[in-house]
Amino acid sequence: MIAHFYRYHQTVIAEIVGELVEFDMEVDQRQELAQVIAETVVNHCLRVLLDHFPPATHAELVAVFKSGKEPRVLVDPQQLRSDIQEIVEKEIGKVKRDLVAEIRRAGKKK
Amino acid sequence: MKPARKPQLQSEQLRSRLKVKQIASRNLLVERHPHVVRLLTSGVLAGSLMLSSGPLSTVAALPSTSENRTVSAPDELRRQIADQLSRQLPSPPGPLSFGQETALSDLFHRTWGIHSMAELEGNRLNTAYGLIGAEQHLPRYPGDTAAAHGGQFINSGITPGRGAWGYFAPSRQQLTADLVEKERYYVAVQTLYLPDWTIRLSYLRDWYKYRKVLVVNPQNGKAVVAVVGDAGPASWTGKHFGGSPEIMAYLGLNVGKQKGPVVLFFVDDPGDNIPLGPLEYNLEQPLLLPG
């Protein structure tokens, strides 16, 4: 389950950052923006996961998002509410749309 | 011809707006889960969460020296891989030369940060590039059913007999999440046609059991990490590998004749750190905050 979330948020970050490639900008500038985007998505993802995972797992969860190593198995899926996946994906989807819209808006202005 | 110039972006304004959102996101996190601060005190993430101004403290696993690296969206990455593979692979699918294998190994490492090769520890399949066909679910324990696998691939059915390596677990109670993943992402390879299969049977049987592999569809650039979970298919089928319903669906090969060409390399992962399933980003350069 955690592996799913980890992979999901990584993919979302990559997709948002991919939007930057459409524009002409310095590589270092793109890197900095990519880092800001990555942090924002991580913060949101971590918050929603902590909202829904048992407190006993929080330390391990944070460790996962700090280490950058995709986990194998962390929490018994039986312990989790069945709708967590939907909640997380909805929330992160919202964040993604918001960030992508910001990028596209900045690209349209003169 | 000169390449078309990309549109400009108001990067300073965008940077400010994104920074505001970043700060708001971490404030919300800390406000909602104050104990996170304690959990993060020794880490780099703590810095990023607690510092509201100043330079970014993260040394995200984004490329640090960016001259020779680019940031790509997953779709774009897949297109690039497919494009490169179409130029490097022979037609029709068949054994690769040493040079081709090395080039692909290097390409896969640069793309996904994964060490994979056609030959590992002196072992190699008869071909690393061939046709993969759809397989059914494997029974994971005595009495297992297709319905018990859940998900959207129940209609794929379940094989009447066990896989070449038997049940994944002796009983349903002993089926772990790890074994569930192994059955979900399994491939069948033609161990029975290896020239030394009968000579070194006991060694090879153990070596191939749950051996981690990388399966890449060269037509769309999609890749998945799987394990060897069964032997086959028979040579008369014209296919070289078999893939679980989940693998075939992800690779986009669960349509029409349910078969297609793939590159199948062994993954060098002695620590068993690489998770099974779709590969959509560079494992050595995850886009988040390293510890």
Side-chain angles (χ1 to χ4, degrees):
Chain A
M1 183 59 103
I2 289 294
H4 168 82
F5 291 132
Y6 183 93
R7 204 169 293 180
Y8 176 73
H9 100 279
Q10 279 292 332
T11 305
V12 167
I13 291 172
E15 284 170 351
I16 301 170
V17 169
E19 290 280 328
L20 296 173
V21 182
E22 302 299 320
F23 299 99
D24 182 33
M25 61 200 302
E26 295 292 320
V27 176
D28 288 346
Q29 230 172 5
R30 186 182 297 155
Q31 289 301 119
E32 191 195 353
L33 292 180
Q35 286 190 6
V36 176
I37 289 167
E39 283 193 47
T40 307
V41 176
V42 171
N43 288 342
H44 279 291
C45 195
L46 198 51
R47 174 177 54 78
V48 184
L49 288 176
L50 294 177
D51 280 350
H52 294 90
F53 276 67
T57 66
H58 285 191
E60 207 173 346
L61 259 174
V62 172
V64 164
F65 281 80
K66 275 169 71 178
S67 72
K69 286 220 164 70
E70 185 168 332
R72 302 291 309 280
V73 177
L74 177 61
V75 184
D76 178 1
Q78 301 296 329
Q79 291 179 26
L80 303 174
R81 280 170 45 191
S82 59
D83 57 348
I84 289 180
Q85 187 170 331
E86 199 181 321
I87 294 168
V88 174
E89 292 187 2
K90 199 171 161 192
E91 177 78 9
I92 300 305
K94 230 160 51 184
V95 174
K96 179 187 167 185
R97 283 193 298 278
D98 182 37
L99 295 177
V100 167
E102 283 292 355
I103 294 169
R104 290 181 182 171
R105 237 190 327 264
K108 275 182 189 166
K109 286 177 185 168
K110 284 187 180 175
Chain B
M1 201 169 76
K2 241 178 146 181
R5 196 172 165 78
K6 289 181 174 180
Q8 296 281 328
L9 184 88
Q10 292 211 317
S11 55
E12 267 313 304
Q13 192 181 0
L14 176 63
R15 182 182 174 279
S16 306
R17 292 185 68 88
L18 291 181
K19 279 293 288 180
V20 169
K21 288 179 188 297
Q22 177 206 2
I23 292 164
S25 71
R26 75 182 167 223
N27 286 346
L28 195 58
L29 171 63
V30 173
E31 184 185 308
R32 204 81 141 246
H33 300 283
H35 61 294
V36 161
V37 177
R38 180 176 52 79
L39 295 171
L40 295 168
T41 44
S42 62
V44 178
L45 184 55
S48 77
L49 285 163
M50 302 312 294
L51 297 173
S52 59
S53 62
L56 283 176
S57 56
T58 54
V59 189
L62 290 161
S64 51
T65 52
S66 41
E67 289 80 15
N68 57 349
R69 291 176 181 173
T70 54
V71 177
S72 298
D75 282 351
E76 177 60 21
L77 200 66
R78 287 196 281 265
R79 269 197 298 275
Q80 288 168 6
I81 282 280
D83 181 49
Q84 294 198 44
L85 289 177
S86 70
R87 279 184 270 126
Q88 294 186 31
L89 290 171
S91 181
L96 303 171
S97 68
F98 178 74
Q100 286 170 319
E101 289 174 356
T102 308
L104 292 187
S105 194
D106 185 47
L107 174 66
F108 296 158
H109 180 248
R110 272 186 282 119
T111 308
W112 293 300
I114 194 168
H115 293 280
S116 63
M117 52 282 293
E119 180 172 324
L120 181 65
E121 297 170 8
N123 297 304
R124 60 162 53 241
L125 292 165
N126 291 340
T127 183
Y129 179 42
L131 291 176
I132 192 169
E135 299 287 337
Q136 294 180 301
H137 286 296
L138 287 174
R140 299 164 297 182
Y141 50 83
D144 193 16
T145 62
H149 284 69
Q152 50 180 316
F153 304 108
I154 294 173
N155 290 341
S156 299
I158 190 166
T159 59
R162 296 171 294 171
W165 282 273
Y167 291 118
F168 289 77
S171 70
R172 192 164 79 86
Q173 290 70 30
Q174 288 163 281
L175 184 71
T176 61
D178 185 53
L179 292 172
V180 169
E181 285 290 285
K182 283 186 165 70
E183 192 281 334
R184 185 172 290 152
Y185 298 109
Y186 86 85
V187 291
V189 298
Q190 295 176 315
T191 48
L192 62 166
Y193 301 129
L194 293 174
D196 52 351
W197 180 248
T198 50
I199 303 164
R200 299 197 299 153
L201 179 63
S202 60
Y203 168 79
L204 290 176
R205 192 179 49 207
D206 290 346
W207 194 87
Y208 276 96
K209 183 181 183 183
Y210 302 152
R211 175 60 53 184
K212 209 171 270 185
V213 294
L214 173 68
V215 189
V216 183
N217 179 348
Q219 293 175 334
N220 59 18
K222 287 191 170 184
V224 63
V225 179
V227 293
V228 173
D230 201 3
S235 60
W236 60 262
T237 62
K239 293 178 277 192
H240 307 92
F241 315 112
S244 69
E246 284 84 352
I247 287 180
M248 297 302 281
Y250 179 74
L251 294 178
L253 297 172
N254 60 341
V255 290
K257 292 182 178 171
Q258 304 209 51
K259 68 174 182 182
V262 292
V263 175
L264 189 143
F265 274 10
F266 297 120
V267 175
D268 189 12
D269 182 29
D272 196 18
N273 294 318
I274 298 173
L276 306 183
L279 204 48
E280 293 182 326
Y281 63 96
N282 191 310
L283 295 169
E284 291 179 349
Q285 301 168 28
L287 288 156
L288 52 56
L289 317 166

